[in-house]
Amino acid sequence: MSTDAGKTPDGLVIVDKPSGFTSHDVVAKMRGIARTRRVGHAGTLDPMATGVLVLGVEKATKLLGHLALTEKEYLGTIRLGQNSLTDDAEGEITSSTDATGVTREAVDAGVAKLTGEILQVPSKVSAIKIKGVRSYKRARDGEDFEIPARPVTISSFQVYDMRQAVAEDGTEVVDLVVSVVCSSGTYIRALARDLGADLGVGGHLTALRRTRVGPYKLDRARTLDQLQEELTVMPIGEAAAAAFPRWDLDGRRASLLANGVRIDMPEEYGDGRTVAVFGPQGRLLGLVESKNGKAKSLAVFV
């Protein structure tokens, strides 16, 4: 839905983030466009990366923590033959190795090891907190520290193209065009680093575009310039119904739920699953999860 002057509507704005902007930069820009302070984002994108960044406006900021946990999809380019300080093109190159001897078979075997449920050590130059301090700050201060590995799920890791190239320092490298479907919290640049390490030549990410966050795809995304011209907001009910199973209630049960009564939930939703609840006239009431068959409120919108 496009908006006119007046009250900023509650809903999601799907932004096609430009390279060079932090996620916080995009939020700051959107606060000006939407004329409200109540703007947040679900899932950070590194400055180098482009593509889908989901913003919540007004009441829809309550959706963001739940949306951030959904599956993501990316297109990227991995350069084999060079390591970088940040595991991507933003950082200085720390080592170079001729990668022309790397075969497609070896790449496929390396990719297979990084597919499925894996343990991943996030990049040191990242926003993860180690004992209360951001990892990137510790790295920039020259500290020697370790980040614990954590479980992530790589549902799909595909190589579409493999081509030789010459890096700026003259090293003969190999560039891979890849797509990745993964769980929240996965670092694609760490995948590039780990694939390069497995192949013995080093690797880093040179380009990344996020094409999907949960159900929200690039075809719904708008650039900041387009949004400046016309603010396009996905209504909060539509956004919730796209991301979560839908449960419609009659007026009586909707009223009970709105007043904090833990009503029975149908078995089909299962324990621990986030469900969007709608009342009469299709109005979004909130998000709930089933706990021992009863509806437990996660976020309320009425």
Side-chain angles (χ1 to χ4, degrees), residues 57-225:
V57 178
E58 297 292 351
K59 285 183 184 172
T61 54
K62 293 183 188 176
L63 281 177
L64 298 177
H66 305 285
L67 291 175
L69 304 175
T70 54
E71 192 175 68
K72 319 279 198 303
E73 193 167 335
Y74 298 88
L75 282 173
T77 305
I78 293 172
R79 173 155 288 185
L80 299 176
Q82 290 185 317
N83 284 315
S84 92
L85 190 62
T86 55
D87 300 327
D88 64 12
E90 300 272 284
E92 65 179 276
I93 299 301
T94 55
S95 69
S96 295
T97 307
D98 186 324
T100 51
V102 174
T103 64
R104 178 61 194 249
E105 290 73 26
V107 167
D108 288 344
V111 163
K113 290 179 199 171
L114 293 168
T115 304
E117 293 183 7
I118 65 169
L119 285 173
Q120 183 182 71
V121 176
S123 299
K124 282 201 168 180
V125 181
S126 66
I128 287 173
K129 285 188 175 179
I130 307 292
K131 294 180 181 172
V133 180
R134 298 284 184 196
S135 175
Y136 62 73
K137 185 174 188 314
R138 290 184 181 275
R140 284 173 189 155
D141 290 346
E143 281 189 43
D144 187 22
F145 64 98
E146 296 299 323
I147 302 180
R150 54 194 200 169
V152 296
T153 302
I154 313 298
S155 309
S156 170
F157 188 175
Q158 310 237 2
V159 178
Y160 291 110
D161 193 18
M162 180 173 174
R163 50 179 181 253
Q164 294 188 1
V166 179
E168 283 184 18
D169 65 1
T171 305
E172 295 198 46
V173 294
V174 172
D175 286 340
L176 306 176
V177 179
V178 303
S179 73
V180 178
V181 180
C182 57
S183 62
S184 176
T186 303
Y187 281 82
I188 308 301
R189 53 196 167 112
L191 283 181
R193 175 201 67 202
D194 293 345
L195 179 61
D198 182 71
L199 294 167
V201 294
H204 71 285
L205 196 67
T206 58
L208 187 67
R209 185 156 176 75
R210 188 154 69 191
T211 55
R212 180 170 68 84
V213 172
Y216 313 116
K217 299 180 182 176
L218 208 48
D219 60 3
R220 295 294 299 263
R222 299 289 178 268
T223 65
L224 288 170
D225 286 345

Side-chain angles (χ1 to χ4, degrees), residues 10-12 38 41-42 54-70 216 234-244 274-276 284 286-287 298-301:
D10 307 307
L12 296 186
R38 287 185 74 189
H41 66 84
V54 178
L55 303 188
V57 178
E58 297 292 351
K59 285 183 184 172
T61 54
K62 293 183 188 176
L63 281 177
L64 298 177
H66 305 285
L67 291 175
L69 304 175
T70 54
Y216 313 116
M234 182 185 295
I236 192 168
E238 181 186 334
F244 307 107
T274 302
V275 175
L284 178 66
L287 299 178
L298 300 174
V300 178
F301 295 102

Side-chain angles (χ1 to χ4, degrees), residues 253-270:
R253 288 192 300 164
S255 177
L256 287 170
L257 187 72
N259 284 295
V261 178
R262 286 198 172 186
I263 61 174
D264 290 332
M265 280 187 78
E267 283 182 16
E268 67 195 80
Y269 296 118

